[in-house]
Amino acid sequence: MRGVFITLEGADGCGKSTQASLIADALEASGREVVRLREPGGTPISEKVRALLLDPANDEMVPECELMLYEASRAQLTRQVIEPALARGAVVLCDRYYDSTYAYQAGGRALDDALVRRANLLGSCGVVPDRTLVFDLEPAVAYARATAGGADRMEAEGLAFQERVRDAYLRLAAEEPSRVRVIDASGERDEVAARALAALEGLL
Ligand code: TYD
C-alpha cells in the first residue's frame, strides 16, 4: 500500500503553518501515521541548505543558485524521508514542495518556466503529491503579516514579488484542477481548516 502525499502551499503570510497543525491533528484522528515536514528542510543536509537559502546576509545569491539549492534540499528529503514514509503507508503532510519552486523561482524570480519544471522533476525525484492545497489570501494582507516580525531573504523581495508568486499559484491550480485546490485563507482559522479538510475528502 502506498501512503498519501499532501502538500500545502501559498505565499508568505498566508497562514499555512497554523493550518498545517490543524490538518495534521485531524488526519491523526483518523488513526493513520502522519509524517509532518516542511520545505526547505527536514533532514540534516536539507536544514543546512535551508540556512543558506534564508539567511538575509546571502543577498548576492543568483536565481540559478537559489533554484538548485531548493532542488538539492528537496531531493535529499524526498529520498531520505518522503519515499520511505509513503512506502510504509503513512500520510505525508509537507509544508511546501515543488509548486513553491514554480511559484517563487518561475513566478517570483521569472526564471524560465520549462527550465523550472525540469528542475522540479529532478529535485522531487519524480514524486508527485496526491493533493495540493494553495492557501490564498490578499497579497497585501499576507505580506504585512509575514513581515511583521522582520523579513527573511525571500520576504525581503517585497510585495510585488509576492503578487507574482500568488499569480503563479493560481495558474497552477487552473492547469491541474484535480490535484491543486485553492483554499480561501481569509476568515477564522477554524473556518479555513474546515475548507482545507473538505478539499481532502475522499483521499484517505
Ligand atoms: P519559511 O520560513 O519556511 O516560509 P513559510 O513559513 O512561508 O513556508 O521559508 C521558506 C521560504 O522559501 C518562503 O519564502 C518560500 C521560499 N521557497 C522558495 O522560494 N522556493 C521553494 O522551492 C521553497 C520550498 C520555498
Side-chain angles (χ1 to χ4, degrees):
M1 172 181 73
R2 185 191 182 265
V4 181
F5 186 23
I6 300 165
T7 60
L8 307 180
E9 297 283 353
D12 292 279
C14 68
K16 187 169 47 55
S17 307
T18 308
Q19 292 301 319
S21 299
L22 298 174
I23 294 168
D25 291 348
L27 294 174
E28 265 157 14
S30 77
R32 298 279 291 261
E33 181 198 358
V34 177
V35 176
R36 233 191 109 171
L37 302 167
R38 81 160 174 192
E39 268 219 281
T43 73
I45 292 170
S46 307
E47 290 292 333
K48 286 184 182 165
V49 178
R50 176 186 177 86
L52 279 174
L53 279 164
L54 298 185
D55 186 349
N58 286 336
D59 58 357
E60 76 272 35
M61 188 182 291
V62 300
E64 292 79 3
C65 173
E66 178 181 286
L67 171 66
M68 288 189 277
L69 287 176
Y70 278 114
E71 301 297 359
S73 166
R74 177 167 308 131
Q76 190 65 37
L77 179 71
T78 302
R79 290 285 195 220
Q80 195 174 338
V81 180
I82 296 176
E83 284 185 334
L86 292 176
R88 65 175 185 267
V91 178
V92 175
L93 183 66
C94 195
D95 187 338
R96 300 194 179 283
Y97 199 59
Y98 62 57
D99 298 306
S100 280
T101 312
Y102 183 78
Y104 283 77
Q105 279 65 54
R109 297 278 186 226
L111 282 175
D112 180 71
D113 232 77
L115 183 97
V116 171
R117 288 177 197 264
R118 292 276 294 160
N120 275 342
L121 198 58
L122 179 65
S124 65
C125 309
V127 175
V128 178
D130 296 297
R131 181 78 32 96
T132 297
L133 306 183
V134 174
F135 291 90
D136 187 53
L137 195 61
E138 178 57 43
V141 175
Y143 187 64
R145 198 198 265 175
T147 53
D152 64 28
R153 195 180 60 84
M154 300 305 290
E155 289 159 352
E157 290 298 323
L159 179 58
F161 183 92
Q162 296 291 330
E163 284 168 344
R164 292 197 296 279
V165 167
R166 185 214 199 181
D167 290 346
Y169 276 129
L170 297 181
R171 280 201 301 280
L172 277 177
E175 222 174 79
E176 285 185 74
S178 67
R179 176 176 71 88
V180 184
R181 308 283 171 88
V182 178
I183 307 296
D184 173 5
S186 65
E188 293 300 313
R189 52 169 235 169
D190 290 344
E191 275 169 25
V192 179
R195 289 176 202 137
L197 290 172
L200 297 177
E201 246 159 49
L203 251 194
L204 298 187

